[in-house]
Every structure is written in C-alpha cells, then in structure tokens.
Amino acid sequence: LQPRHLRPGRSLIGNMQSGESFAKYDGPTGWEDKDVEAFNNHLEEMLKGSEGPDVNQADDITAKRYIRARKGNIEKAVEQYLNAERYFIEGNLRERAAKDDEFEAVYQHTCLFHFGNFDKDGRPLYIEKTGQIHVPEILKYLTEADVVDRHVRANLTQERYMEESSQHLGKAVTQQTIIMDMEGLSLWPSTSAFNIFKQTLHVDQSYFPERLHKAFIINSPMIFRMIWAVVKPWMDVETAKKFLILGGNFKEKLREEIDEDNLPVEYGGTWEADEFFKKHDITEEEVARLQARVARLKAAKLDSFSQPFPGGYTEEDYLKGKEVLEEKKKHENDPKKGGFFGSMFS
C-alpha cells in the first residue's frame, strides 16, 4: 500500500457500521465457527428486552476479535461487544469521527503525529513524536476529556484505514502498528498526563480490543523506563507484551515490519516526512476562545472525567453526558440495562 497523508476525521470510504466491517473476508484463525455462532446466539438473547439501542449481530471477524480478547469466554465477549457498540452508538462516535475535529488546530500546534502509512502486512501505521508533547501545554487550550475524545477519534480513524486496507488486499486487516518516539522526554509526567493515559487505556481495552499489533517505543531515555514501570501494571498482560521498548538502535527492527517507503528517513526509511512533522501556528483569537472555554468548564468542574461517557465530548454535550454517565453507573452490573462497565473487567 502507498502512504496516505490524511488527518484524523477525514472521510476515507464512508463510515463503518456495526456488523458490516470485514464481513466478506476470511478472518484470523484460532476460533471455531461454532464459537461465532454461540457468540451471536448469546448476543440475541442479551438483546431481548434490552433497554439500550439496537445493536447488529457481529460479523465473523468482529466476533472472533472479541472472543480472543476475552480469552474464549463467550459470555464476557458478548458483554464487551454489546457495551462497546452502545458506547459508539449513544455517543454518535463513528459519525463524529468521520468529520473534521474542531480542535485540529490545537493538535497541529502542540503535537507532531501522522496517520496514513502502512506496515508490510497492510496494518495502518500511526507515528507520534511523543517525547515532544507536553500535556500541560495542551491543557491550556483543551480539557482532559477533549484529549480522550481525540484518542477515540484516532482509533476510529485507524479502523477506517483497516477497512480500506482490507478492501485493497482482499484479506482482513484488523490491527494497527504504532511508533512512539520518546526523544525529548526529560520530565516526569504530570498528574493530568497519567490521568489521561488511564482513561485512554480504559478506552482501548474496553472498546477497541485486539486492535494493537505492536507498539514500537523508540529513542526511549532512562526516565521512560521508570515511567513504564509505573504504567505497565495497568495494562492487560498480553497487551503489555506488544510494546517493544527500544533505545536508539531501532531502525532494523522497524524495517522488519515496515517497508522503507512508509518509514521516515530519520527512522531508517526513504519517506521524506519533514513537512508532515511541523507544528502549526494558532491565532490569538482561537487561543482566547479556547482558554475561555476551558475556564468555563473548570469553573463548572466539567473539565475531566474518571470514565469516558456516551454523550460525547463537545462542550454542549458535557452536562448531558454527565447525567447519562450517572444513570449508567446505576446499572453498571447489568448489560441489559445498557451498562458500560458490567463484569467485563473481572
């Protein structure tokens, strides 16, 4: 696949709908067809009398992905799928992610990142210069919840790239590859940074299971090793194994997975990527508007949440989302009531 250079939120081939993704492709092996049949039979039973929104049956590839995430436990796999689909539907997240991000200017001003390249097996590649991102700087313009929302958008963008790659290659592509460059990291992360990481980890493990192929952590300084010792226990054991912590000698390892024309020159490839890793200016008017918005939300104590909520993350959705979250917590152990948490973490 040739590199594509799009920002998250740009439409690729239209929105993926529940139950449609990868349906015409042979999926990953490891689970018998009877498991998929049992998955959808149990899902049908769960939906009877359910008060949540309608959820389509899962195609074979999706069912197998959730079964694998729950290590073969059909009931927990169905609970997780049902909770995830309701999360996407109630928050209108797929539709929102297909539109331009209203805060794109902030991310291009404060972060260096790129979507649109692929590894050798067609998995979409996300590259981020994480060591040069300073969360306190981002939080001058946005809230913690906004940053979590961006992470949801990024995952949904990668899912659309997976769909595009699947169509191009004629096989199921269900995972992504990530490069996180830690060069420049010199300070211990802020409390907000850890809080955001915990929330995004919850999003990944709850609503995007089995989507990660490998995460290459390159140019990692000693301080990152200390940070990793803190955050690794928060992860699922199998997920943590997918993180490769590398120092400065990483180019050969990257080239094993990624063709040179999809890899920046500085990482051992041939892609001239400098123009895609430049921070952009932001207008004074936009800064004033964003800072006033953050001040209002902080004053109302609506600038962060312990869990993502289905009402969305736009300013007008904050109050509604808070109310919905409180209602969902009342039913957190009853997936038939639309609970998001239930027993899937047990």
Side-chain angles (χ1 to χ4, degrees):
L1 289 175
Q2 293 300 310
R4 294 282 302 281
H5 309 303
L6 301 179
R7 295 294 185 183
R10 301 296 176 85
S11 178
L12 301 178
I13 57 171
N15 298 338
M16 284 168 39
Q17 301 298 322
S18 170
E20 293 181 353
S21 59
F22 317 125
K24 56 192 167 195
Y25 303 112
D26 291 331
T29 59
W31 302 104
E32 300 295 333
D33 289 341
K34 62 182 177 63
D35 293 324
V36 175
E37 183 179 359
F39 179 99
N40 279 316
N41 287 341
H42 187 62
L43 176 61
E44 187 174 349
E45 288 298 315
M46 290 288 291
L47 290 172
K48 290 179 180 178
S50 172
E51 297 179 7
D54 291 336
V55 173
N56 291 338
Q57 284 202 324
D59 60 73
D60 289 1
I61 305 304
T62 302
K64 289 176 182 179
R65 182 163 59 86
Y66 278 88
I67 294 169
R68 183 177 297 105
R70 305 316 300 167
K71 299 177 174 60
N73 187 309
I74 299 296
E75 291 186 0
K76 288 186 177 182
V78 170
E79 286 181 18
Q80 185 171 14
Y81 172 74
L82 182 58
N83 291 336
E85 285 302 308
R86 283 176 168 163
Y87 174 71
F88 296 133
I89 294 169
E90 293 185 10
N92 200 33
L93 298 179
R94 290 191 178 99
E95 291 74 13
R96 288 178 52 225
K99 299 177 182 178
D100 288 338
D101 189 343
E102 63 175 311
F103 304 127
E104 186 65 38
V106 175
Y107 294 108
Q108 294 199 34
H109 177 64
T110 57
C111 308
L112 297 172
F113 62 93
H114 181 71
F115 293 85
N117 291 20
F118 300 85
D119 70 12
K120 290 182 178 180
D121 290 318
R123 301 181 192 93
L125 176 65
Y126 175 68
I127 305 172
E128 179 182 278
K129 293 181 179 281
T130 313
Q132 298 183 45
I133 296 175
H134 302 287
V135 171
E137 177 69 16
I138 297 174
L139 296 182
K140 291 179 181 179
Y141 312 108
L142 302 174
T143 68
E144 291 180 12
D146 293 327
V147 179
V148 175
D149 180 53
R150 175 66 169 203
H151 186 74
V152 174
R153 281 178 171 270
N155 274 297
L156 291 171
T157 294
Q158 292 293 71
E159 285 192 344
R160 295 199 302 277
Y161 277 124
M162 293 173 201
E163 175 79 353
E164 182 182 68
S165 186
S166 297
Q167 291 187 358
H168 179 80
L169 298 175
K171 68 176 185 178
V173 177
T174 64
Q175 294 180 317
Q176 65 174 316
T177 297
I178 296 173
I179 298 174
M180 303 178 75
D181 186 350
M182 294 296 167
E183 184 175 8
L185 180 68
S186 59
L187 299 174
W188 190 256
S190 65
T191 300
S192 292
F194 277 122
N195 188 36
I196 290 169
F197 180 78
K198 283 184 177 180
Q199 292 186 63
T200 57
L201 187 62
H202 167 76
V203 166
D204 289 346
Q205 295 186 158
S206 302
Y207 310 128
F208 297 95
E210 291 294 310
R211 284 305 198 194
L212 178 63
H213 170 58
K214 289 182 182 178
F216 295 95
I217 314 300
I218 64 174
N219 289 320
S220 56
M222 182 59 68
I223 192 171
F224 178 79
R225 313 272 172 160
M226 299 166 64
I227 296 168
W228 179 244
V230 173
V231 303
K232 183 179 178 181
W234 301 345
M235 296 182 179
D236 176 84
V237 173
E238 295 304 316
T239 299
K241 291 178 182 178
K242 298 179 181 182
F243 282 72
L244 282 73
I245 314 302
L246 307 173
N249 187 19
F250 56 82
K251 293 181 180 179
E252 283 301 320
K253 185 67 69 173
L254 293 182
R255 284 194 291 258
E256 289 176 6
E257 297 274 344
I258 305 162
D259 285 328
E260 292 184 356
D261 62 348
N262 274 264
L263 198 59
V265 171
E266 65 180 305
Y267 297 156
T270 60
W271 174 42
E272 299 286 350
D274 288 351
E275 65 177 293
F276 295 100
F277 290 103
K278 290 181 179 178
K279 291 185 178 181
H280 298 262
D281 293 333
I282 188 170
T283 66
E284 292 182 3
E285 293 80 4
E286 183 68 0
V287 169
R289 182 186 74 83
L290 291 167
Q291 290 181 340
R293 171 182 175 271
V294 169
R296 290 195 304 273
L297 294 171
K298 284 186 175 180
K301 300 187 184 303
L302 297 173
D303 57 315
S304 64
F305 294 90
S306 60
Q307 301 285 1
F309 57 86
Y313 293 89
T314 59
E315 184 172 2
E316 58 269 23
D317 281 339
Y318 275 112
L319 284 171
K320 180 180 72 174
K322 187 177 182 182
E323 293 173 1
V324 172
L325 177 61
E326 292 303 318
E327 180 64 24
K328 293 297 177 186
K329 283 184 175 179
K330 295 177 184 177
H331 306 295
E332 62 180 4
N333 291 317
D334 186 358
K336 286 194 173 184
K337 297 292 187 181
F340 280 92
F341 312 111
S343 59
M344 65 184 178
F345 300 113
S346 60

